[in-house]
Amino acid sequence: MERFKIYILVVSITALSGCILFSGCTPYAERKQAMEQRWEKSAAQAKLPLVEQYLQEGRLKDAYKLLQKCLQADPHSADAHYLAGRLYLQEGRYASAAESFRTAVELKPGLHEAWFVLGILYQDQDRLDQARDCYGHALELQPARVDYILSLVHLYTIGEQIDQARQLLEEKRKKLPYDSDMLIASAELAQRQGNSEEAVQLYKEALLRQGNNPQILEGLGVCYMARQQWQPAADVFEKLLQTKQDLPQEHVLGWLAYCTLQAGQYGKALNWYDKLSVYRREDPQLWLEMGQAALGAEQAGRARQCAQKALQYQPAWTDAEVVIGCALYMDRKYSEAVRVFQKVSRDSQWEAFGWWMAGRCYQQLGQNAQARNAFEKASQIKPDSPMMQLIMGEGNTL
């Protein structure tokens, strides 16, 4: 009997111990699982710099494999979603990239770079309101990031929100007064608003800070052209030509040749047009302007050759006929010139000039009656022209 009692006691104690043992299993398993999950998340986070390295090296497959493991271990990692967005961008999968960036900022609203790139993606889709919101978030997080400022300014500009763009630039320039990119953006905006004087001053200030920066020189030269300040424009474009700029040399030569022509530096203009002709051999406008420069340089023969070249590519072009007529007049070939100007006078745009020059030719030939008749026709077409009044005054002495 005593043995039976002892047996029952042993069984009871064993059973109780088993209950206690198994009842302690559940919290321990949970703790172990939680510890493993934390370790996996930490390990995943530690691998993200390697993903970054793979992306920079262009090893997209390796980056993708490692990212998948990281996201599997920690699907709520905002940094991993951000890197996934960058990966998709490099692969040209823009919809997937946008989705990853949206997830990243939802999980971690302080990811300013994700907000910024998301704004670019929205802008590319012409979803300008959403792009503006994203740029705004990025700028709130990083108020001194110039690329964020300029992107928002550009967005305002293409949306014709010029006042907002100007206000933002003025506000940020107070805090970043020495940033040349901000000066350039302000100059471009002023030029867009038609305030070329302010634009010129801003470009000059930017040049003082950055030296002969091609972008600044180009903007300043264009401003001078808009103000018809041909000599300063030519000087700027000559400096631009000497820099290692991204613009094709052809464009700079075109500006330079035209500005020197308009500035009356005909010899220099001829030199620039010669260089430009390498790129535009079949451009009638080039040959016309080269002919005009030759006239200004008193090279009548060359002027005729250039004008004839222009007519070769654009037949019956009155502008080129005018150059030929003026070259003949310069060469004192008045009989030939008068026939050209009679032809020119049949063009409504050149009618008055054609008769006026025909009159001058008749004067030189001693045919005073025909000269007076030609001058009268010119004055009837443009009676208020000071040139016609002067010619008619001279005609009274015939």
Side-chain angles (χ1 to χ4, degrees):
M1 188 67 175
E2 289 298 324
R3 281 187 179 179
F4 180 74
K5 288 181 180 180
I6 293 170
Y7 174 76
I8 293 297
L9 179 61
V10 170
V11 170
S12 299
I13 292 171
T14 304
L16 181 61
S17 300
C19 289
I20 293 171
L21 178 63
F22 285 107
S23 66
C25 263
T26 301
Y28 173 76
E30 289 176 355
R31 287 197 301 272
K32 182 181 178 184
Q33 185 178 8
M35 288 175 64
E36 288 176 350
Q37 287 175 346
R38 282 197 298 272
W39 183 86
E40 287 175 357
K41 286 182 180 180
S42 298
Q45 196 70 22
K47 292 175 183 175
L48 292 181
L50 184 56
V51 175
E52 171 84 31
Q53 181 180 333
Y54 285 156
L55 289 176
Q56 291 177 357
E57 294 173 354
R59 297 169 59 182
L60 302 188
K61 289 184 179 179
D62 292 333
Y64 180 79
K65 289 177 182 177
L66 191 54
L67 262 177
Q68 290 299 103
K69 292 179 181 178
C70 293
L71 285 169
Q72 188 176 2
D74 185 7
H76 300 294
S77 170
D79 294 326
H81 284 288
Y82 168 68
L83 289 174
R86 286 178 50 189
L87 171 65
Y88 294 138
L89 269 185
Q90 288 185 244
E91 292 180 333
R93 297 164 60 186
Y94 302 116
S96 298
E99 185 178 350
S100 291
F101 288 128
R102 278 193 293 267
T103 303
V105 296
E106 285 171 5
L107 293 168
K108 189 176 178 180
L111 276 175
H112 58 91
E113 290 180 338
W115 281 115
F116 179 63
V117 182
L118 190 56
I120 293 174
L121 291 170
Y122 280 136
Q123 184 177 326
D124 287 344
Q125 297 173 4
D126 289 329
R127 297 164 68 177
L128 301 187
D129 289 341
Q130 290 162 293
R132 185 168 51 250
D133 289 342
C134 290
Y135 288 151
H137 281 302
L139 195 55
E140 284 176 10
L141 293 165
Q142 292 287 318
R145 277 285 295 264
V146 174
D147 51 343
Y148 294 179
I149 296 167
L150 297 182
S151 294
L152 187 52
V153 166
H154 177 67
L155 194 63
Y156 282 140
T157 303
I158 62 177
E160 297 299 328
Q161 296 174 291
I162 306 300
D163 290 339
Q164 290 93 323
R166 191 178 185 89
Q167 182 179 351
L168 177 60
L169 273 174
E170 289 176 352
E171 173 193 333
K172 294 298 183 180
R173 278 183 59 208
K174 291 176 183 176
K175 298 176 181 178
L176 301 165
Y178 302 112
D179 188 273
S180 299
D181 290 331
M182 299 279 285
L183 281 171
I184 295 170
S186 298
E188 289 173 348
L189 190 62
Q191 177 72 358
R192 184 183 178 92
Q193 291 181 294
N195 193 345
S196 57
E197 183 176 357
E198 180 186 354
V200 165
Q201 295 306 316
L202 288 166
Y203 277 126
K204 284 183 175 180
E205 187 177 344
L207 276 177
L208 289 174
R209 300 192 188 285
Q210 284 199 7
N212 288 339
N213 179 303
Q215 182 185 358
I216 302 172
L217 288 170
E218 179 190 352
L220 180 58
V222 171
C223 278
Y224 279 135
M225 287 180 70
R227 294 171 62 82
Q228 296 188 353
Q229 294 177 286
W230 304 113
Q231 188 55 57
D235 293 340
V236 169
F237 288 136
E238 193 162 357
K239 288 179 182 177
L240 179 58
L241 193 65
Q242 294 166 359
T243 65
K244 293 180 179 179
Q245 32 78 27
D246 295 331
L247 278 171
Q249 192 177 49
E250 175 188 348
H251 294 323
V252 184
L253 283 171
W255 291 330
L256 189 50
Y258 183 76
C259 289
T260 49
L261 173 63
Q262 296 298 321
Q265 293 193 354
Y266 303 115
K268 290 188 73 172
L270 278 173
N271 176 58
W272 296 125
Y273 278 117
D274 274 337
K275 295 179 184 299
L276 184 61
S277 67
V278 173
Y279 302 96
R280 303 181 186 174
R281 290 195 179 280
E282 299 182 2
D283 182 358
Q285 185 67 37
L286 175 138
W287 294 109
L288 174 70
E289 291 175 10
M290 190 184 294
Q292 293 168 343
L295 278 179
E298 298 183 359
Q299 298 182 27
R302 186 172 182 185
R304 286 177 63 187
Q305 290 174 354
C306 291
Q308 287 164 352
K309 196 83 171 177
L311 286 170
Q312 178 182 335
Y313 296 113
Q314 188 170 329
W317 192 15
T318 306
D319 294 38
E321 298 282 4
V322 168
V323 172
I324 291 174
C326 291
L328 289 168
Y329 183 89
M330 186 179 291
D331 264 349
R332 300 182 181 182
K333 297 178 180 179
Y334 304 120
S335 297
E336 294 179 57
V338 76
R339 288 193 292 272
V340 174
F341 287 124
Q342 285 174 339
K343 182 179 178 182
V344 167
S345 68
R346 292 194 285 272
D347 186 316
S348 59
Q349 183 181 354
W350 289 99
E351 188 176 4
F353 180 80
W355 283 117
W356 171 60
M357 284 302 297
R360 295 302 298 262
C361 291
Y362 284 129
Q363 267 187 332
Q364 296 297 331
L365 291 168
Q367 300 176 16
N368 293 336
Q370 290 96 322
R372 184 172 183 82
N373 181 52
F375 289 143
E376 284 177 351
K377 287 182 178 180
S379 67
Q380 288 169 5
I381 297 165
K382 289 190 175 180
D384 298 330
S385 168
M387 180 64 72
M388 298 308 163
Q389 292 175 8
L390 174 63
I391 294 300
M392 291 307 294
E394 292 177 354
N396 289 334
T397 63
L398 294 177

